Amino acid sequence: MDSEIKEEIPVHEEFILCCGVETQVLKCGPWTDLLNDQSANRPKLLIFIITGNPGFPAFYVTFAKALYSLIKRRFPVWIISHAGHALVPKDKKILTTLNDPNAQEIQDIYGLHGQVEHKLAFLRTHVPKDMKLVVIGHSIGCYVALQILKHGPELPIIRSFLLFPTIERMSESPSGRIATPLLCWLRYILYVSSYLLLKPCPEKIKSWLLSVVLQKMNVQSDFPLLNLLEPFCLVNAAYLGSQEMMEVVKRDNETIKEHLPKLTFYYGTIDPWCPKEYYEDIKKDFPEGDIRLCEKKIPHAFTLHFYQEMAEMVADWLKDDLSQIETETEGNKD
């Protein structure tokens, strides 16, 4: 399976301006421009992945490829970076896109609410209005996914999968208790040190450092991960993290209740960002909801080594929805 995923599945990389910010989009499958595709074979659904923090799409490529393969390559799978977490490499160009009506309206684009608006703007300007959507959120991407349901009621989202969801009490979680002082009070030290140490560092040395680190982690990437050592991206990731600790406190039960039939929650048993008690609490509040607890000891950062297992589960959960869409498509042809 791994060799098939790596060799045969096309992944197209684009850099666009979304809300005036450089944004990386990785598109799994042959469809690169759904908005202008008027062919009869244009897919009826897009699977849209919203990353955790830091929002580097390259970490999610193996998961997206595995999922794309498991759904028999019938629908595109796209991954979007967070605003401020991607810089266009010197050898790449920013694609000319539609005028973005929201470019001047979004305040604090690199903050938590700005990231929500950033994803909404992308879906509204780069995806056909009648295209059904499946949104997959991971970590803080789950918070963003819920906010998209809340603030984008016109978007035809049929399902939303929230994987290892950090949607409440982040600063009280085991990792949050460590991260809060670092991100909220000491992040300025990170800002200064990252610019002093990394800004003057040549690209060749950064590439070598990254290769050493990734090799030790036993992680391979189809796309460069130099943004991991870009001070601009690190600073924005830390800034977003500080807002997460301060603002992701109370679970948005109203939005969950309104959209419960569309939602699937997947909690870990060894997740220091959303411990098991968070699963027990939400299960108690929404006993009729599709709220699952991991039985495989998959870690929070599943994309590094457990992407295949997660892709198989998501594909299984999607089976009925995709069959229904295919049935509707065949019916329309008749």
Side-chain angles (χ1 to χ4, degrees):
M1 172 64 82
D2 281 355
S3 59
E4 178 189 333
I5 288 172
K6 287 174 186 172
E7 292 172 10
E8 297 182 16
I9 296 176
V11 180
H12 177 73
E13 180 184 41
E14 285 183 2
F15 288 92
I16 62 169
L17 282 181
C18 184
C19 306
V21 174
E22 294 176 13
T23 302
Q24 183 188 32
V25 184
L26 298 180
K27 301 180 176 183
C28 196
W31 308 278
T32 59
D33 187 3
L34 293 175
L35 203 61
N36 295 309
D37 184 354
Q38 302 300 322
S39 70
N41 294 324
R42 190 189 80 181
K44 304 297 181 187
L45 175 138
L46 167 67
I47 298 174
F48 187 66
I49 298 174
I50 304 173
T51 72
N53 181 19
F56 301 141
F59 280 127
Y60 291 78
V61 170
T62 48
F63 169 66
K65 281 183 171 184
L67 180 58
Y68 178 71
S69 179
L70 287 161
I71 60 172
K72 304 194 178 345
R73 310 182 181 214
R74 294 169 293 175
F75 303 100
V77 182
W78 289 6
I79 318 161
I80 189 171
S81 71
H82 287 314
H85 294 208
L87 286 176
V88 182
K90 292 174 184 175
D91 60 339
K92 299 279 186 180
K93 291 184 178 179
I94 296 180
L95 295 184
T96 304
T97 57
L98 296 171
N99 290 329
D100 186 348
N102 299 303
Q104 303 304 317
E105 297 176 12
I106 296 179
Q107 301 293 321
D108 192 20
I109 183 69
Y110 303 133
L112 187 56
H113 298 294
Q115 299 292 355
V116 174
E117 292 298 323
H118 174 255
K119 310 307 176 289
L120 282 167
F122 177 85
L123 291 172
R124 286 167 174 159
T125 55
H126 291 83
V127 180
K129 287 180 169 50
D130 61 344
M131 179 162 283
K132 291 182 171 64
L133 293 166
V134 169
V135 177
I136 301 175
H138 172 229
S139 193
I140 196 60
C142 301
Y143 176 91
V144 175
L146 282 177
Q147 292 300 303
I148 286 174
L149 284 169
K150 182 176 183 177
H151 296 289
E154 80 284 3
L155 296 171
I157 298 172
I158 61 167
R159 291 294 299 277
S160 192
F161 298 102
L162 309 184
L163 311 179
F164 305 94
T166 52
I167 56 173
E168 61 174 305
R169 295 177 280 175
M170 282 194 71
S171 65
E172 297 177 25
S173 68
S175 286
R177 286 195 289 271
I178 298 168
T180 299
L182 293 174
L183 294 171
C184 296
W185 307 322
L186 301 176
R187 74 174 188 274
Y188 297 103
I189 297 173
L190 170 66
Y191 293 179
V192 174
S193 59
S194 64
Y195 273 99
L196 286 176
L197 294 172
L198 297 175
K199 194 67 177 174
C201 189
E203 295 292 309
K204 285 185 179 179
I205 294 179
K206 287 182 183 177
S207 296
W208 176 78
L209 283 171
L210 271 177
S211 66
V212 170
V213 171
L214 294 176
Q215 191 174 13
K216 289 206 175 283
M217 294 171 63
N218 195 25
V219 173
Q220 294 182 340
S221 175
D222 294 350
F223 294 89
L225 282 161
L226 281 174
N227 287 327
L228 269 171
L229 295 180
E230 278 293 341
F232 173 79
C233 300
L234 291 174
V235 163
N236 286 326
Y239 174 64
L240 175 59
S242 70
Q243 290 204 350
E244 292 171 29
M245 297 306 117
M246 301 298 289
E247 296 184 28
V248 182
V249 179
K250 188 177 179 181
R251 191 193 325 129
D252 188 352
N253 286 342
E254 187 177 335
T255 299
I256 292 171
K257 183 178 179 181
E258 182 180 350
H259 299 282
L260 194 60
K262 298 178 182 178
L263 296 171
T264 294
F265 296 83
Y266 190 79
Y267 283 83
T269 53
I270 55 169
D271 188 348
W273 282 109
C274 36
K276 189 179 175 183
E277 67 184 87
Y278 291 11
Y279 158 80
E280 292 166 350
D281 290 344
I282 192 172
K283 188 75 174 171
K284 195 182 301 176
D285 291 342
F286 297 98
E288 72 280 23
D290 186 11
I291 303 166
R292 302 165 185 249
L293 186 65
C294 177
E295 298 176 351
K296 303 179 180 181
K297 293 192 174 179
I298 296 175
H300 186 84
F302 73 87
T303 56
L304 298 181
H305 302 295
F306 291 86
Y307 55 85
Q308 185 67 35
E309 290 88 340
M310 284 308 308
E312 287 171 2
M313 279 188 276
V314 172
D316 186 57
W317 301 337
L318 265 176
K319 200 161 42 181
D320 292 342
D321 297 287
L322 300 188
S323 295
Q324 185 177 342
I325 288 171
E326 288 194 315
T327 301
E328 291 172 0
T329 303
E330 291 301 319
N332 291 336
K333 286 180 182 177
D334 296 341

